[in-house]
Amino acid sequence: MISTNDDKLILRERQLGIQILNKCSLNCKLCATYTQEYKRSGIEYISSIDEIMREIDAVFTLYDFIDDITVTGGEPLLHKDLDRILLYLLKYQNQYNVSRVFTNGTIIPDKNIIDMMKKFQAKLQIVVNHYGKLSKHTEDIKNISIEYGFNVRINDYSKENPYSGGWVDFGPLSEYRSYTDMDVIKQFNNCHEANWKCLIVYKGQLHLCPASLHGSLFKHFKPKEDEFIDFFDNSVSFEKKRQIAAGLGKKVITACQYCNGFDIKNSRRVVPAEQV
Ligand SMILES: C[S@@+](CC[C@H](N)C(=O)[O-])C[C@H]1O[C@@H](n2cnc3c(N)ncnc32)[C@H](O)[C@@H]1O
């Protein structure tokens, strides 16, 4: 969203995910960050702390404010430098409300993370996405949070009415769907990922949604120049990057033809975190 404050343009968004790795402790069918496709292809990519710091600098140079920052994966608690990543994010704490670490409840955070969660509880939160028996440490994390006094939210995907209605099948990224122009516009207009702007950064690239990011990283399709920002490409000017950022979510993107979309009311829901 762009608004004006006196003469200055303000670029503010609701949320942005920073994906820090594709390695995971679970093997979920239909994972929205396509971890199974990475596993099948033998591609494991853990972003280095230097790379992530560069991405964080780039994000907060580009945007004036982002309400929620999500640190995601893969499984973020498998990243050896997670504490340094969270600390680095705090450098920009005036430019976001809260940063959340998404975890699947399979791993107990180590002492460094717990100390940091406690110290910066106004700005940091752990979100445990609870997948029933798979998330064997959800209760432990909850208890530690009570003992140490830090901020935890549990999203329960295991109950009969799962959190957010359950998961969605985005379909294979490798398949061109041949939607008509009318149908693809309709899908885009009804897509939660596009409307909410599920902005995601990984490997130096910022995209509107995970399908656009991962489909282009896998080279299933080539996004148009105005559909993503490559933070590590200095041949595109800062002004142009701001222009692209301001335009994200305003029109259909290449990825829509390779995705089922996410219509909150009508998309078929699937069992969350079904293991393969
Ligand atoms: C990809 S996971 C990665 C972080 C962490 N490993 C976890 O499970 O929370 C990030 C978020 O995406 C959600 N998610 C994954 N696949 C999904 C799908 N197909 N539909 C809807 N949400 C999905 C997860 O439940 C979680 O809230």
Side-chain angles (χ1 to χ4, degrees):
M1 180 217 318
I2 280 227
S3 57
T4 50
N5 180 3
D6 300 328
D7 286 336
K8 194 177 169 286
L9 287 175
I10 306 287
L11 196 50
R12 175 176 183 154
E13 295 297 354
R14 265 189 293 241
Q15 75 84 42
L16 179 141
I18 301 177
Q19 183 170 346
I20 59 174
L21 76 177
N22 60 18
K23 189 176 174 184
C24 196
S25 49
L26 292 178
N27 289 304
C28 302
K29 193 174 159 186
L30 304 178
C31 171
T33 48
Y34 304 92
T35 45
Q36 287 315 305
E37 191 168 350
Y38 282 103
K39 273 190 189 165
R40 275 197 303 276
S41 316
I43 305 167
E44 186 179 283
Y45 192 80
I46 303 177
S47 303
S48 70
I49 179 73
D50 287 346
E51 189 179 348
I52 296 166
M53 289 190 313
R54 279 177 71 198
E55 288 171 348
I56 293 171
D57 288 338
V59 162
F60 289 108
T61 307
L62 191 68
Y63 291 100
D64 299 288
F65 199 89
I66 296 169
D67 295 347
D68 287 11
I69 295 291
T70 304
V71 178
T72 189
E75 173 48 48
L77 288 177
L78 290 174
H79 199 295
K80 70 174 174 52
D81 292 318
L82 182 60
D83 54 340
R84 292 177 66 194
I85 296 166
L86 297 177
L87 193 62
Y88 198 74
L89 270 169
L90 286 162
K91 181 175 163 190
Y92 296 100
Q93 59 179 287
N94 294 331
Q95 283 177 256
Y96 63 87
N97 288 331
V98 64
S99 65
R100 309 180 202 277
V101 179
F102 270 22
T103 179
N104 57 26
T106 60
I107 299 167
I108 299 182
D110 68 24
K111 189 166 179 318
N112 285 346
I113 304 286
I114 293 173
D115 287 346
M116 184 161 306
M117 299 301 302
K118 185 179 170 181
K119 190 163 170 198
F120 300 104
Q121 53 184 285
K123 280 283 169 185
L124 278 177
Q125 186 183 52
I126 288 199
V127 175
V128 183
N129 292 305
H130 179 68
Y131 306 119
K133 281 188 191 136
L134 295 168
S135 306
K136 57 182 184 218
H137 290 303
T138 302
E139 215 39 45
D140 299 323
I141 299 173
K142 205 164 116 188
N143 291 337
I144 296 170
S145 80
I146 295 166
E147 188 181 339
Y148 287 85
F150 64 78
N151 195 346
V152 165
R153 189 176 85 199
I154 315 279
N155 293 338
D156 192 347
Y157 284 94
S158 72
K159 53 189 183 181
E160 205 178 322
N161 288 317
Y163 176 77
S164 93
W167 277 17
V168 171
D169 180 1
F170 293 97
L173 280 175
S174 53
E175 225 171 72
Y176 183 77
R177 307 292 206 276
S178 303
Y179 300 130
T180 63
D181 288 351
M182 283 272 280
D183 283 349
V184 82
I185 290 171
K186 200 167 143 202
Q187 172 171 300
F188 175 83
N189 287 340
N190 291 331
C191 182
H192 169 71
E193 304 260 311
N195 292 334
W196 188 257
K197 294 197 209 174
C198 289
L199 299 171
I200 182 156
V201 177
Y202 185 45
K203 294 193 176 186
Q205 291 195 17
L206 166 76
H207 285 251
L208 176 63
C209 61
S212 178
L213 170 73
H214 295 290
S216 73
L217 289 177
F218 275 115
K219 298 199 171 29
H220 289 315
F221 51 80
K222 197 170 182 301
K224 296 195 185 97
E225 277 178 9
D226 61 354
E227 293 177 2
F228 73 108
I229 294 164
D230 185 341
F231 285 133
F232 302 156
D233 177 1
N234 293 327
S235 70
V236 179
S237 70
F238 175 70
E239 288 68 30
K240 179 72 191 163
K241 287 177 180 167
R242 285 265 292 189
Q243 214 177 43
I244 296 171
L248 290 176
K250 297 212 168 119
K251 63 178 179 62
V252 171
I253 54 174
T254 307
C256 297
Q257 276 287 5
Y258 296 79
C259 183
N260 297 345
F262 180 2
D263 179 331
I264 289 196
K265 277 201 207 119
N266 299 316
S267 283
R268 186 173 66 89
R269 299 308 173 104
V270 295
V271 177
E274 190 180 334
Q275 297 301 283
V276 288

